[in-house]
Each structure stands twice: as structure tokens, then as C-alpha cells.
């Protein structure tokens, strides 16, 4: 998974560098807008309102709140190593997302009007990266701490749906290209895999 994430992120970075607006990006974004007036998103007016709500599930402040709650719960139940893992992984991942944005410095889409405010550059999507990273951490904790299979599956399905909807919401709102979203998912899952691998090796190296 780590290698696949690195390869995909690298390919997307090279692709968008030599072709700043791929045809796939343009056609996908226009799919969510009216053919008559690109300023208007498809569907009823309430759909845009709901997508603005959905995108909040991938905002840094909300994810940090979830991370803090998960870490406190783990620490209270005696799983301090898991609390430390999610805190370090999510906080460092969010910091990395800002660093990547600064490094690639891809401009935000201007194909259609934005339906929400944005303040940073476009590649990779911070919402996509941070949400995939945080919910992957939460799934990992749930699979370790919850024994019931049905509950484990519910956690996994719910988390995957949320991450996908957050990514779609960013394109729907006109603030990210689809390639930004794919890059964010790749970076988030790659960072999760790397942190889990490093924490596992550190745990194995500790004296009994």
C-alpha cells in the first residue's frame, strides 16, 4: 500500500505538472455544473448546502477534534501506545499536507465559481489527505479495540463512505480538481502506512 501510494502520488504530480488541467479534471468538474450556466451546480439548491456540510467532515479542526477524542478514549482504557500513534500520525500528516501544498503550489481551479472559501493552493487536497489519514487511523483503532465483526464492518464502510463524499464535495464545490483529490487520498493513505510501519518497528524494539 505504501509503495502504491507513493507511485500514484508521483504520477499525478508529474501529470499535472506537464498538463496543468487534464481533460479528465475539466470534464469531471463540469459534470457537476449546469450545462446552461456553469456557475450553478447540478441538482436542487439544498444539494450544495449538504455538500458544504459534508466537506466539514474533512476539515482539519473537525479531524483534530476526532483525533483528540479517540486519543483520550484510548489512553483512558490503557492503550497509550495507540493514543500516541493517532496523535502523532494525524498531526504530522496535517502538517505534511501544508508542506506538500506549498511545494507543488498548484493554483486552485478557476473553471467554475467556488461555492466555499479556500485559502491555500490546490495539490494535493488537504481535505482528502487529512480525512483519508484520520479515518484510516480510526478504522485501525476500531479493528483492534472492537471485537464484533458486524461493528468492525460498519466502522469500515462508514469511514470509506465519508472519505469518498468529502473528496466528491471538494470537486462539487469547485475548489479542487479530481487529480487533487486522488493525490490527497494517496498521500493520506501512504502517510498512514508509513507511520504504522515505523510505530510497529519502534514497539518491537522496546525492551520487554
Amino acid at each position: 500500500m505504501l509503495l502504491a501510494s507513493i507511485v500514484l502520488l508521483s504520477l499525478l504530480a508529474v501529470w499535472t505538472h506537464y498538463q496543468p488541467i487534464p481533460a479528465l479534471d475539466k470534464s469531471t468538474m463540469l459534470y457537476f455544473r449546469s450545462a446552461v450556466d456553469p456557475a450553478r451546480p447540478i441538482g436542487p439548491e439544498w444539494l450544495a448546502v449538504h455538500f458544504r456540510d459534508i466537506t466539514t467532515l474533512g476539515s482539519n479542526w473537525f479531524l483534530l477534534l476526532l483525533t483528540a477524542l479517540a486519543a483520550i478514549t484510548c489512553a483512558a482504557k490503557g492503550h497509550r501506545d495507540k493514543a500516541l500513534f493517532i496523535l502523532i500520525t494525524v498531526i504530522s500528516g496535517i502538517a505534511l499536507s501544508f508542506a506538500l501544498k506549498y511545494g507543488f503550489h498548484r493554483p486552485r481551479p478557476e473553471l467554475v465559481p467556488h461555492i466555499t472559501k479556500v485559502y491555500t493552493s490546490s495539490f494535493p487536497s488537504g481535505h482528502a489527505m487529512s480525512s483519508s489519514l484520520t479515518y484510516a487511523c480510526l478504522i485501525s483503532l476500531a479493528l483492534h479495540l472492537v471485537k464484533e465483526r458486524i461493528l468492525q464492518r460498519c466502522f469500515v464502510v462508514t469511514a470509506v463512505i465519508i472519505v469518498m463524499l468529502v473528496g466528491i464535495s471538494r470537486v462539487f464545490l469547485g475548489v479542487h480538481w479530481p487529480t487533487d483529490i486522488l493525490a490527497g487520498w494517496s498521500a493520506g493513505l501512504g502517510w498512514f502506512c508509513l507511520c504504522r510501519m515505523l510505530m510497529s518497528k519502534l514497539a518491537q524494539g522496546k525492551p520487554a
Side-chain angles (χ1 to χ4, degrees), residues 15 31 65 81 83 106 124 131 135 178 184 194:
W15 185 20
Y31 174 81
L65 175 61
D81 56 334
R106 187 186 190 187
S131 64
Y135 291 110
L194 178 61

Side-chain angles (χ1 to χ4, degrees), residues 8 18 22 30-31 35 38 43-44 47 67 78 80 139 144 157 159 175 202 204:
L8 180 56
Y18 288 102
L30 289 177
Y31 174 81
L47 187 60
T67 298
R80 294 185 178 180
I139 288 174
H144 278 89
V157 171
V175 295
L202 287 174
Q204 292 174 3

Side-chain angles (χ1 to χ4, degrees), residues 109-207:
E110 296 181 355
L111 182 64
V112 297
H114 299 171
I115 307 179
T116 189
K117 296 289 185 180
V118 287
Y119 303 98
T120 58
S121 55
S122 194
F123 185 97
S125 164
H127 278 67
M129 179 175 175
S130 299
S131 64
S132 61
L133 170 63
T134 304
Y135 291 110
C137 288
L138 294 176
I139 288 174
S140 177
L141 294 179
L143 294 180
H144 278 89
L145 302 178
V146 178
K147 303 304 180 183
E148 294 82 0
R149 291 283 185 179
I150 185 64
L151 289 179
Q152 289 180 344
R153 291 170 184 168
C154 287
F155 281 127
V156 171
V157 171
T158 301
V160 170
I161 290 174
I162 290 174
V163 171
M164 291 182 65
L165 287 176
V166 167
I168 293 171
S169 73
R170 304 306 285 170
V171 180
F172 183 94
L173 297 173
V175 295
H176 273 297
W177 300 112
T179 46
D180 296 332
I181 305 303
L182 293 175
W185 287 339
S186 300
L189 292 176
W191 190 248
F192 165 76
C193 293
L194 178 61
C195 290
R196 185 175 62 175
M197 181 178 66
L198 292 176
M199 293 293 284
S200 177
K201 288 185 176 182
L202 287 174
Q204 292 174 3
K206 288 182 179 179

